[in-house]
Amino acid sequence: MEYPQVTPFPSGFLWGASTSAYQVEGAWNEEGKGPSVIDKAVFNAELSDFKVTSDHYHHLEQDVALFAELGLKTYRFSLSWARLFPQGTGELNLAGAAFYDRLITLLVQYHIEPLVTLYHFDLPWALQEKGGWSDPATIDAFERYARMAFERYGDRVKYWLTINEQNMMILKGEVIGTLPPGTPDPQKALYQQNHHMMLAQARAMIACHQMLPTAKIGPAPNISCVYPASARPEDVLAANNFSAIRNWLYLDLACYGTYNAVAWSFMREKGYLPTVTEQEMALLRAGKPDFIAFNYYASATVGAEQSAHAREQGEPTRAVDQQLAGIDTRVYAGMNNPFLKRNQFNWYIDPVGFRITAREIYERYRLPLIVTENGLGAFDTLEAGNKVYDDYRIAYLRQHLEQLQLAISDGVEVFGYCPWSAIDLVSTHQGIGKRYGFIYVNRDEKDLKDLARYKKKSFAWYQQVIASGGQNLNPQIEY
């Protein structure tokens, strides 16, 4: 559809930006923090680890002042479960709790709405040693942790996210660190973990509504619209399979308290079905989200496995990436999309897919949406005068905001946009070199340098976009 005049971004729209604890804080073992699965995971030794990252822990006041200068209306960050409960349960680490008190209080003082993620990949190692998400006791531990967060920070936090990208943790569990090497029947184990995470999420949402009746809480999966490689019925069916397993399995459970029928049939056929009780399903039905947060980077394109059509066209399958992660390729084949450009890391750039994704989520669940990740990773260069001319990032974000505004014009209820990331941080698989932030952190993979903060050109652009309430997505920039 084409609109003579697009709908403005709504009044009170939460213009924000995002980070996660393990990728930005550093101080990995300071002031009582325990190790997490991220601290114990093995990553590329040539890249930066997660011990210091952007050292946000020791630059808190400076960073929040920069966020305020940027004009953020909200800041999406995660709590480190292991910083608060070094053993995953037991006694609260008061020093860790005080750090988040300082952060949240600072945000409120600057009139920045805290948007708090309870869990962003970093399960406490002490719980992992006991079985992690395969152990039902972790459900109880997560609820206790969530209740502590609601009690301690709920007077200042109105918006909560439960679990970041749960679908990525299940589809790529061996990469994130929640699936130990050598786990027997790994796919079945992961889908049982998924069920346990969903129960933990439901308990957290119920607790939030009980303890903080004016607060709002929701899940934060990574959702990508899925294109069939062609109009061939088998390719369309493959795309439908992929959407169900990649996207709707997780949101159907969160929003409806039911297993997606196609995903359930897939798990049954492959022997991956989790053990489920009626009492647990009743709990899932009782845990209702107030909104859906979603992370979007690119669309996916799939076809039928080994389709004759693909072979005839000479179309190679794509390497597995975040959009095509981890699903049994007997039900789909990742395909190239010749209509889309790629970034430096070979990810597709698909702003129109962003609009499609928002529409699909809203049409399916009719809950308000907030975007909690969307951004462009790139090898930024610090130039003379400590400048970073990241016009490529500005173009990416502008194009996606244009499509988000069209989604709003389509009738989709969107109340916030938090691109990834507020400040440079360590990407899970590409180190510090893959930069996303509006603020440059002066360090390399191994050389910490001085960790100075420098505002990129995209900082000046986003600052003006926010100041205009999104009315001007192409402002004149002095930089």
Side-chain angles (χ1 to χ4, degrees):
M1 292 183 289
E2 299 291 337
Y3 299 102
Q5 187 172 350
V6 294
T7 303
F9 288 94
S11 175
F13 191 78
L14 293 177
W15 296 97
S18 297
T19 65
S20 82
Y22 79 89
Q23 293 173 277
V24 77
E25 286 180 4
W28 75 284
N29 63 351
E30 294 185 33
E31 296 191 318
K33 180 185 175 295
S36 74
V37 293
I38 298 294
D39 298 317
K40 297 290 186 177
V42 178
F43 295 99
N44 187 334
E46 296 179 359
L47 302 178
S48 51
D49 57 28
F50 298 93
K51 292 181 171 61
V52 177
T53 62
S54 306
D55 201 32
H56 176 63
Y57 196 82
H58 297 113
H59 291 76
L60 180 63
E61 288 76 12
Q62 179 187 6
D63 290 347
V64 175
L66 284 166
F67 300 162
E69 182 182 348
L70 181 56
L72 296 188
K73 307 302 181 186
T74 189
Y75 171 51
R76 183 245 176 157
F77 63 96
S78 71
L79 306 176
S80 166
W81 186 350
R83 193 178 295 286
L84 292 165
F85 291 100
Q87 298 301 311
T89 186
E91 290 190 15
L92 177 67
N93 175 29
L94 294 178
F99 169 75
Y100 294 115
D101 268 317
R102 288 182 11 244
L103 170 57
I104 292 168
T105 298
L106 270 174
L107 292 171
V108 172
Q109 288 173 352
Y110 281 112
H111 306 289
I112 300 172
E113 193 78 57
L115 175 57
V116 178
T117 309
L118 290 170
Y119 179 57
H120 194 125
F121 298 167
D122 50 353
L123 184 72
W125 182 249
L127 294 180
Q128 181 65 20
E129 288 187 300
K130 298 176 183 178
W133 284 110
S134 293
D135 182 2
T138 301
I139 303 170
D140 300 325
F142 184 78
E143 182 183 3
R144 287 193 294 272
Y145 158 57
R147 285 181 175 273
M148 181 285 303
F150 300 149
E151 181 177 2
R152 187 166 185 116
Y153 308 120
D155 60 327
R156 289 155 290 166
V157 179
K158 299 176 185 176
Y159 294 97
W160 298 86
L161 306 177
T162 52
I163 298 175
N164 178 76
E165 293 193 351
Q166 181 172 331
N167 52 340
M168 293 298 105
M169 281 188 283
I170 301 308
L171 299 173
K172 296 298 291 180
E174 74 283 2
V175 175
I176 299 299
T178 57
L179 188 72
T183 300
D185 205 350
Q187 290 297 313
K188 185 176 178 64
L190 284 166
Y191 283 109
Q192 187 67 58
Q193 287 185 5
N194 179 63
H195 186 70
H196 291 162
M197 285 186 197
M198 283 293 173
L199 295 172
Q201 173 174 262
R203 286 208 201 163
M205 291 193 293
I206 291 168
C208 183
H209 292 143
Q210 290 173 343
M211 299 174 66
L212 306 172
T214 62
K216 297 186 183 299
I217 189 168
N222 179 303
I223 304 296
S224 294
C225 64
V226 181
Y227 305 136
S230 75
R232 182 173 179 261
E234 289 82 358
D235 290 342
V236 176
L237 183 62
N240 187 270
N241 288 339
F242 189 82
S243 295
I245 299 165
R246 188 201 188 281
N247 296 327
W248 311 136
L249 163 62
Y250 304 91
L251 281 177
D252 281 6
L253 278 169
C255 298
Y256 299 146
T258 58
Y259 270 90
N260 178 276
V262 172
W264 184 264
S265 297
F266 161 76
M267 291 186 289
R268 181 179 59 208
E269 179 196 358
K270 306 302 180 187
Y272 302 157
L273 280 180
T275 300
V276 174
T277 69
E278 181 49 45
Q279 184 180 16
E280 290 169 346
M281 296 308 298
L283 173 64
L284 292 176
R285 291 190 293 272
K288 297 290 187 182
D290 301 296
F291 62 87
I292 296 171
F294 73 102
N295 302 344
Y296 173 89
Y297 290 93
S299 57
T301 302
V302 305
E305 184 207 10
Q306 299 295 315
S307 70
H309 171 77
R311 289 197 302 271
E312 288 169 4
Q313 298 299 314
E315 297 173 355
T317 58
R318 290 175 58 200
V320 172
D321 64 14
Q322 189 175 38
Q323 311 343 306
L324 292 169
I327 297 173
D328 190 318
T329 54
R330 288 172 288 181
V331 298
Y332 84 99
M335 307 297 289
N336 286 313
N337 189 326
F339 302 102
L340 299 176
K341 296 180 181 179
R342 300 173 188 255
N343 67 18
Q344 290 177 319
F345 293 89
N346 211 33
W347 286 23
Y348 284 124
I349 298 174
D350 185 8
V352 176
F354 191 30
R355 177 186 182 183
I356 295 168
T357 301
R359 284 168 57 155
E360 287 184 348
I361 298 170
Y362 190 70
E363 287 168 4
R364 192 176 183 96
Y365 303 106
R366 287 289 175 157
L367 286 172
L369 306 182
I370 183 169
V371 180
T372 42
E373 291 183 29
N374 172 238
L376 180 70
F379 293 114
D380 294 340
T381 301
L382 186 65
E383 299 189 18
N386 298 318
K387 300 286 189 179
V388 178
Y389 297 93
D390 56 340
D391 295 88
Y392 41 84
R393 181 168 292 110
I394 292 170
Y396 176 97
L397 294 172
R398 180 194 299 121
Q399 291 163 9
H400 282 75
L401 279 172
E402 288 169 351
Q403 292 297 322
L404 186 64
Q405 190 168 15
L406 285 169
I408 292 170
S409 301
D410 294 333
V412 179
E413 185 179 354
V414 184
F415 67 94
Y417 175 73
C418 299
W420 189 263
S421 55
I423 188 170
D424 284 346
L425 39 68
V426 176
S427 291
T428 305
H429 309 300
Q430 286 92 16
I432 191 70
K434 187 181 186 182
R435 296 176 183 267
Y436 282 90
F438 295 110
I439 300 164
Y440 186 92
V441 176
N442 190 35
R443 62 157 295 181
D444 291 336
E445 298 295 350
K446 299 299 181 181
D447 184 358
L448 294 178
K449 299 186 177 181
D450 59 3
L451 294 168
R453 273 65 169 147
Y454 300 120
K455 292 173 282 188
K456 303 179 188 179
K457 188 176 181 180
S458 60
F459 184 105
W461 170 80
Y462 195 44
Q463 185 182 52
Q464 293 194 47
V465 168
I466 295 173
S468 75
Q471 293 185 50
N472 186 1
L473 299 180
N474 193 25
Q476 294 296 314
I477 303 168
E478 293 184 8
Y479 181 70

